[in-house]
Amino acid sequence: MVELIKKLTFIFILLVCQGKIFTQSIINTSSISSDLDSAFSLVLDVGGNFSRGNAKINNFDGNFGLGFSIRENSSLWIIGGINNLKSDDQLIQRSSFLHLRYNQEINSIFTINLYSQYQENEVLSIKNRLLYGINTRINLNEGGSSNLSLGGFYEYEQYNINESSKLFRLNIAGVTEHKLKNIEIIGFLFLQPSFEEISDFRGIGELNIRVPIINNLQISADLVSRFDSSPISSLKKLDTSLNFSFRYEIHKQRKESL
C-alpha cells in the first residue's frame, strides 16, 4: 500500500509539473523502432491536458510504434504521432508525422535501416517535410543497449511562406539504455549536418526516464533539447521541452519451431 501511494504521488507531481515547448523539426524515432526480439510489438505514448474554467484548453499528444518481425533477422516498423493544442477554440499548435522503417540485421554488431518520413508542423511553418534515408547501426556492447548509427538522407521541406528547401544531410546518432532496478534511463544524441555546408546542421539531445506502474504501463518523462543552426523565419536556434506521458507496450513472442 505504501509503495502504491508513493507511485501515485510521483505520478501526480509529474502531471502537475507538465510543460511542453514545440519548435525544431527533428523527431526521435530510433528510440521506438529497435530490432524486434518478438514477432509483434506495440508501443503507445499518450498525454493530454483538458481544462475548463478561466480558459478552455484542449491539448492532446500521442505517439505510436507498430513493429512486425518479417524474418528472423528483419523487421518493419510504422511509427506516427500527433499533437494538437487549442485555447478558447483558437489553434495554437498542430503537428503530425508518419515514419516507415525497415531493419535488416547483418550480424550481432551491424544492422541496416531504410526509412522514409512525412511530417508537418504549424509552429515551424512546415507545410510538409519528406525524408528518404539509410543508416548503418553499430552495436557497441553485447546486448545492443548502446549503439551508434551512421548514414544519410534526402530532405525536402515546403513552408507556409511559399519557400522550399532540398538537400542531403548526414545522420549521426548515439543511443544508450540503462536500468536502475525497475527504472529505465535512455540517452540519445542526434546530429544532422548538411552535405553541402557542414556549418548548417541540426541536433537533438534527449534524456528519457520511464517508471513502471502496473504490468505493461509506464509513466515517461522526456527532457529534449534541439538546435538548428539556420532556422527558417524568426524561429529561435535552440529550444527545450519537458514532456510527460503514459507509455504502454505489448510484445508478442515468436513461436519456437519444433
Side-chain angles (χ1 to χ4, degrees), residues 47 50 57 63 124 126 155 218:
F50 304 94
I57 297 174
N63 296 282
L124 294 179
I126 294 178
E155 173 188 82
Q218 298 173 311

Side-chain angles (χ1 to χ4, degrees), residues 146-255:
S146 296
N147 59 74
L148 177 67
S149 293
L150 302 172
F153 63 89
Y154 168 77
E155 173 188 82
Y156 171 75
E157 291 184 342
Q158 186 177 8
Y159 312 117
N160 293 331
I161 56 177
N162 295 322
E163 294 183 9
S164 63
S165 172
K166 300 177 183 179
L167 73 162
F168 288 91
R169 289 188 181 273
L170 291 168
N171 219 11
I172 306 168
V175 180
T176 184
E177 301 182 19
H178 300 279
K179 270 195 173 185
L180 295 176
K181 295 184 178 180
N182 291 327
I183 300 175
E184 296 180 34
I185 302 174
I186 300 96
F188 183 83
L189 183 63
F190 206 162
L191 295 176
Q192 294 179 343
S194 168
F195 269 107
E196 299 175 1
E197 188 176 353
I198 299 297
S199 60
D200 176 8
F201 73 94
R202 294 170 176 173
I204 177 174
E206 184 171 340
L207 179 64
N208 185 256
I209 300 175
R210 301 170 189 165
V211 180
I213 305 173
I214 53 173
N215 296 331
N216 299 322
L217 185 64
Q218 298 173 311
I219 189 164
S220 176
D222 197 20
L223 177 63
V224 184
S225 290
R226 299 180 179 89
F227 181 82
D228 189 340
S229 65
S230 302
I232 64 169
S233 187
S234 59
L235 296 175
K236 295 181 179 180
K237 291 186 177 182
L238 178 67
D239 72 83
T240 302
S241 65
L242 179 59
N243 306 324
F244 298 98
S245 61
F246 290 102
R247 182 182 179 92
Y248 185 74
E249 296 187 32
I250 297 176
H251 301 284
K252 183 179 179 180
Q253 298 300 320
R254 297 190 185 98
K255 293 183 178 179

Side-chain angles (χ1 to χ4, degrees), residues 59-77:
N59 181 21
F60 174 78
D61 184 46
N63 296 282
F64 75 91
L66 187 62
F68 302 90
S69 179
I70 301 174
R71 292 182 294 273
E72 184 178 355
N73 297 320
S74 61
S75 62
L76 181 67
W77 278 89

Side-chain angles (χ1 to χ4, degrees), residues 87-126:
S87 178
D88 295 326
D89 294 324
Q90 180 180 358
L91 181 66
I92 297 175
Q93 160 67 18
R94 181 170 60 205
S95 63
S96 62
F97 76 95
L98 186 65
H99 182 96
L100 182 65
R101 178 179 293 245
Y102 173 77
N103 297 330
Q104 177 64 55
E105 185 179 297
I106 306 303
N107 52 42
S108 60
I109 299 176
F110 296 99
T111 299
I112 302 296
N113 313 125
L114 299 173
Y115 61 91
S116 62
Q117 180 173 303
Y118 172 83
Q119 184 182 351
E120 58 182 15
N121 192 311
E122 288 289 334
V123 170
L124 294 179
S125 298
I126 294 178

